Amino acid sequence: MNIFIKYALVIYFLPLLAFIIQTFFGNKLPRKGDWVSIGAILITLTLAISMFAGMLLNYDPDFVVQESFTWMNLGNFKIEIGFLIDNMTIIMLLVVALISSMSHIYSIKYMEGDPRYHRYFSFLSLFTFSMNGIVLADNLVLLYMSWELVGLSSYLLIGFWFEKDSASNAGKKAFLTNRVGDIGFFIGIMLFFTAIGSFSYSDLFAGVQAGKIAGATLTVAGIGLFMGAVGKSAQFPLHIWLPDAMEGPTPVSALIHAATMVAAGVYMMVRLFGVMTADALLVVAYIGGFTALFASLIAITRKDIKQVLAYSTVSQLGYMILSVGTGAYIAAFFHLLTHAMFKANLFFGAGSVIHSMHHGLHKIDDHDTDPQDMNNMGGLKSKMPVTYISMLVGSLAISGVPFFSGFLSKDAILAGTLAYASHNPAHFLLPVFGFGAALLTAFYMFRMIFLTFHNEPKREDIFGHIHESPAVMKLPLILLSILSLFIFYTLPHFNPFSDMGWFKHLMEYKDSFVPGGILAHSTEEGLHHSHMTAMIMSLIVAAFGIGLAWLMYFKRSISAEKVALAIKPLYRLSSGKFFIDELYTKILYKPVLKLADAVAYLDWDLYDKYFINGFGRVTTFLSNIVGKIDYEGIDQTLVDGIGRSANRAGKVLRVIQTGRVQQYILFALTAIIILLIWKAS
């Protein structure tokens, strides 16, 4: 067995083993067993780093290792599942292991003293196991099973503090919203299987290339797969669950929003890019582009520090989906990688701030103030320098500032949209979505920085008790800040756009058979011509966004309140999150609940009461009549009557059947005499 397969098996099953141990024995182990989950994830991180180092040192752009076995064989119906390991798999395994490790370590102090401490680490292990299944799968069956397990894990983690109604409702909302997308995902899987007869990725690609599924059917099947990504990666209109997911512990937010659950949709789209038609990708591009701009417009008015980052995640995922739709899928995966580092960094930084705010509020015995509201912060830069620097680095990276990782990946996405629009002028809105979101991203991220860390404290009574977070919480911040610098993404084989970039060969491979040759717009030449324009425009919009935030929230030469008043209708739309939840409540939830009530009335009050219960009453009436006929007529009169007659006859015969031979001879002699007399007469 190949060494990479052996490593992959350990990476896959070790978190599952930790989950089982923690679930059944964690509460009885020292430190509630946190070391079991932490040890397991650190081993997987070590193995992932080893695989990654092997990939870089012995780089082979065509490296692929695949191992599968027959999971189900029913004659004509056969399912094989297994692992597919290539350069993209190895990079994603490292991302998941790294962010998950940081979340585990960060949680030691953040969750300290929680009564369900061991269950929390148990759920983290289950989440990591599920996510690794998505990354390693070489077929749609294992992908779908792991996909649903990630949904279950997120439900358990988001609603971890289920004693709070807001947390339990958020968990249910995330679970049910994702099920909507997963219906489409399942339909897409079944369409491919019906046409091709296999769930394997390689068979899917070969089947599409051979024309076994084509035209409108292929487009619908591709959009079906994309529906899964719409749910999991929180794209419009199924984005509503992700901001509510902030009700879970902050390390969970970092884990879900940075590299795992929400990235699963993007990873799946990149992995299965070769089965998407031009029409399907156009739908993908518009959904992603609109989501990127739409979520940014909501983020600019958030007061909750985690809500800002939540909508930022929705927007950044929109970027990645937009990039896939315009054919620049390598840029999408590159941004997934860089975003994982700086977004996890930002969430851990927000958690550090919230942890310190909780401490300050506890000291002054204030249980009513929201520790996540940026209007209660200000001036924290001097109290929390490590947290400040780490969040500043993350904000610079996500804003696309040079020398930070986001500058490289976001520009690649924007170049892809420009290249697409230059070949398809009718779709000029796609780069408008991209650059508009870039401007707003820079604005709302530095709005958050200035409101949280700069100027005078909003609450002096809390400010006096603020302090930097413990070392185990600072370690992930420092490491992820370093990994948010551009230098690590310019290494040979690691920069996807260098001559030796990882899986650059996939562009040529997929170009050879993607339906309709839709990658013609995003060839290397097209991206090269658009790159400089995209970079200049990106720098302009980033500078404008940061400058506007500086004037409004640092210098305060522009009054944010007056601007909000001047554009009050637009401000209300943004602060109300465009009232999407209210709209869904009015046109979806309430009508469905009313329909459910009506169906319940038909079922219980009419069908059950009059038909089912009436049928029961008729049956009871008839059974009473039949019972009387059977018991009083047949049983008592006929059956029992025969019995009584036999009993009486028996009593008569018993008198003469005495067992005395002399008496029997006398009876016989008497009978003979009677017969002789009767004969003679």
Side-chain angles (χ1 to χ4, degrees):
M1 185 181 292
N2 184 279
I3 187 65
F4 283 100
I5 294 294
K6 292 180 180 178
Y7 281 8
L9 285 169
V10 176
I11 289 173
Y12 183 54
F13 286 110
L14 199 57
L16 177 62
L17 178 62
F19 164 71
I20 295 170
I21 294 173
Q22 278 291 89
T23 299
F24 293 103
F25 310 107
N27 207 29
K28 301 174 184 178
L29 295 173
R31 292 178 51 86
K32 302 294 183 182
D34 61 355
W35 49 274
V36 175
S37 293
I38 295 170
I41 194 61
L42 288 178
I43 291 173
T44 66
L45 176 61
T46 302
L47 294 176
I49 292 173
S50 176
M51 293 173 72
F52 182 71
M55 182 195 81
L56 291 183
L57 295 174
N58 303 291
Y59 186 72
D60 177 6
D62 299 309
F63 169 74
V64 176
V65 176
Q66 193 168 359
E67 194 81 32
S68 62
F69 70 97
T70 301
W71 182 55
M72 186 182 297
N73 190 348
L74 301 176
N76 292 331
F77 183 72
K78 182 179 179 182
I79 299 178
E80 291 189 350
I81 60 174
F83 291 165
L84 169 64
I85 302 175
D86 58 11
N87 295 329
M88 187 167 72
T89 305
I90 293 172
I91 293 168
M92 194 66 185
L93 283 175
L94 178 60
V95 170
V96 173
L98 178 63
I99 303 302
S100 186
S101 298
M102 296 300 101
S103 297
H104 279 70
I105 294 170
Y106 189 91
S107 297
I108 295 173
K109 276 295 181 182
Y110 194 88
M111 298 299 292
E112 188 176 31
D114 192 283
R116 294 186 294 274
Y117 186 76
H118 76 287
R119 287 183 61 187
Y120 172 79
F121 279 94
S122 170
F123 296 158
L124 284 185
S125 296
L126 178 64
F127 196 104
T128 305
F129 163 73
S130 307
M131 188 62 206
N132 284 336
I134 292 176
V135 175
L136 289 166
D138 74 338
N139 62 92
L140 294 175
V141 173
L142 181 57
L143 173 68
Y144 189 75
M145 290 192 296
S146 302
W147 196 271
E148 296 305 311
L149 274 174
V150 165
L152 170 64
S153 307
S154 64
Y155 166 76
L156 295 172
L157 286 168
I158 292 168
F160 181 74
W161 289 319
F162 56 81
E163 61 274 11
K164 295 193 303 180
D165 288 341
S166 57
S168 61
N169 290 337
K172 288 183 285 188
K173 187 175 183 178
F175 188 80
L176 294 174
T177 304
N178 272 273
R179 299 292 72 71
V180 175
D182 291 350
I183 292 171
F185 190 35
F186 185 76
I187 291 171
I189 290 173
M190 288 298 102
L191 285 172
F192 276 112
F193 177 74
T194 302
I196 297 173
S198 174
F199 293 105
S200 170
Y201 294 163
S202 56
D203 290 340
L204 254 62
F205 294 141
V208 171
Q209 189 174 14
K212 290 183 178 180
I213 179 172
T217 305
L218 181 57
T219 297
V220 172
I223 293 175
L225 294 182
F226 174 59
M227 281 299 297
V230 170
K232 201 70 75 186
S233 293
Q235 297 298 285
F236 181 86
L238 301 181
H239 66 285
I240 54 173
W241 70 268
L242 192 55
D244 289 39
M246 297 298 97
E247 290 292 337
T250 297
V252 170
S253 302
L255 187 62
I256 291 176
H257 288 69
T260 51
M261 179 176 176
V262 295
V266 178
Y267 177 80
M268 182 267 290
M269 291 299 294
V270 173
R271 175 65 77 187
L272 299 178
F273 181 84
V275 302
M276 306 296 287
T277 65
D279 291 336
L281 285 175
L282 193 60
V283 173
V284 171
Y286 271 97
I287 292 291
F290 179 78
T291 303
L293 183 60
F294 175 77
S296 295
L297 288 169
I298 297 176
I300 60 177
T301 56
R302 296 303 95 203
K303 297 176 182 178
D304 186 311
I305 189 171
K306 285 176 69 176
Q307 287 280 319
V308 174
L309 298 178
Y311 280 102
S312 168
T313 298
V314 176
S315 178
Q316 295 300 304
L317 290 165
Y319 264 118
M320 301 175 211
I321 294 296
L322 168 64
S323 188
V324 171
T326 55
Y329 60 91
I330 294 180
F333 188 75
F334 189 29
H335 195 58
L336 185 157
L337 173 63
T338 59
H339 176 262
M341 304 307 160
F342 58 68
K343 184 51 65 69
N345 178 26
L346 287 165
F347 267 109
F348 287 142
S352 178
V353 170
I354 295 166
H355 182 268
S356 190
M357 288 289 292
H358 266 298
H359 174 78
L361 291 169
H362 178 73
K363 286 291 185 181
I364 64 173
D365 198 27
D366 182 349
H367 303 290
D368 297 324
T369 300
D370 184 0
Q372 298 179 191
D373 190 340
M374 293 184 292
N375 290 328
N376 297 320
M377 301 175 190
L380 300 186
K381 174 183 174 183
S382 59
K383 291 280 189 173
M384 309 181 72
V386 174
T387 301
Y388 168 70
I389 293 172
S390 69
M391 291 195 74
L392 180 62
V393 169
S395 297
L396 290 167
I398 198 173
S399 299
V401 174
F403 306 111
F404 297 91
S405 59
F407 172 71
L408 300 173
S409 57
K410 184 178 284 189
D411 279 5
I413 290 175
L414 295 175
T417 62
L418 283 177
Y420 185 92
S422 66
H423 287 79
N424 303 273
H427 302 299
F428 66 92
L429 275 179
L430 295 177
V432 171
F433 288 148
F435 285 100
L439 187 153
L440 293 174
T441 299
F443 173 75
Y444 66 68
M445 290 306 302
F446 277 86
R447 169 181 175 268
M448 179 192 73
I449 291 292
F450 295 139
L451 286 176
T452 304
F453 294 102
H454 288 270
N455 296 321
E456 67 282 354
K458 308 291 193 311
R459 291 282 301 271
E460 290 284 356
D461 53 343
I462 304 174
F463 184 77
H465 300 284
I466 296 293
H467 60 77
E468 186 61 271
S469 296
V472 291
M473 293 176 68
K474 288 190 291 187
L475 175 63
L477 290 172
I478 295 170
L479 177 60
L480 292 171
S481 294
I482 294 172
L483 291 175
S484 297
L485 302 176
F486 81 105
I487 187 67
F488 297 99
Y489 306 94
T490 59
L491 297 172
H493 311 306
F494 199 59
N495 178 355
F497 303 104
S498 71
D499 291 336
M500 300 181 292
W502 37 262
F503 71 61
K504 195 177 183 67
H505 66 296
L506 287 182
M507 178 71 79
E508 300 169 1
Y509 170 66
K510 292 183 176 179
D511 264 344
S512 65
F513 67 86
V514 172
I518 49 84
L519 291 185
H521 60 266
S522 60
T523 58
E524 183 178 352
E525 182 181 357
L527 287 172
H528 177 73
H529 287 312
S530 302
H531 179 71
M532 185 59 67
T533 304
M535 182 178 69
I536 294 172
M537 292 177 64
S538 174
L539 289 174
I540 291 172
V541 297
F544 185 80
I546 295 172
L548 185 60
W550 182 75
L551 290 172
M552 292 181 71
Y553 296 100
F554 183 78
K555 296 294 290 183
R556 296 177 179 170
S557 54
I558 299 177
S559 171
E561 291 76 15
K562 289 182 179 178
V563 172
L565 195 61
I567 55 171
K568 190 173 182 179
L570 296 176
Y571 178 81
R572 284 191 70 249
L573 281 174
S574 175
S575 61
K577 298 179 285 190
F578 287 86
F579 303 102
I580 298 297
D581 282 299
E582 290 80 1
L583 183 64
Y584 284 174
T585 300
K586 184 175 181 179
I587 68 172
L588 186 62
Y589 306 151
K590 286 185 177 179
V592 168
L593 290 173
K594 286 182 179 179
L595 177 62
D597 289 338
V599 171
Y601 174 77
L602 292 173
D603 179 45
W604 178 252
D605 292 330
L606 297 181
Y607 182 74
D608 280 357
K609 186 178 291 184
Y610 294 106
F611 183 75
I612 300 297
N613 293 348
F615 185 77
R617 284 191 291 271
V618 171
T619 303
T620 302
F621 174 74
L622 292 175
S623 66
N624 288 334
I625 294 175
V626 172
K628 287 183 179 180
I629 295 172
D630 179 50
Y631 182 70
E632 297 178 7
I634 297 175
D635 283 356
Q636 291 191 348
T637 303
L638 182 61
V639 177
D640 291 354
I642 293 172
R644 284 192 294 270
S645 299
N647 188 38
R648 284 194 295 269
K651 288 179 179 180
V652 173
L653 292 173
R654 187 170 58 188
V655 174
I656 63 175
Q657 194 172 356
T658 62
R660 297 173 183 174
V661 176
Q662 299 92 329
Q663 191 176 24
Y664 294 161
I665 294 172
L666 178 62
F667 288 158
L669 183 59
T670 302
I672 291 171
I673 292 171
I674 292 171
L675 287 173
L676 288 174
I677 293 172
W678 177 74
K679 184 72 174 174
S681 62

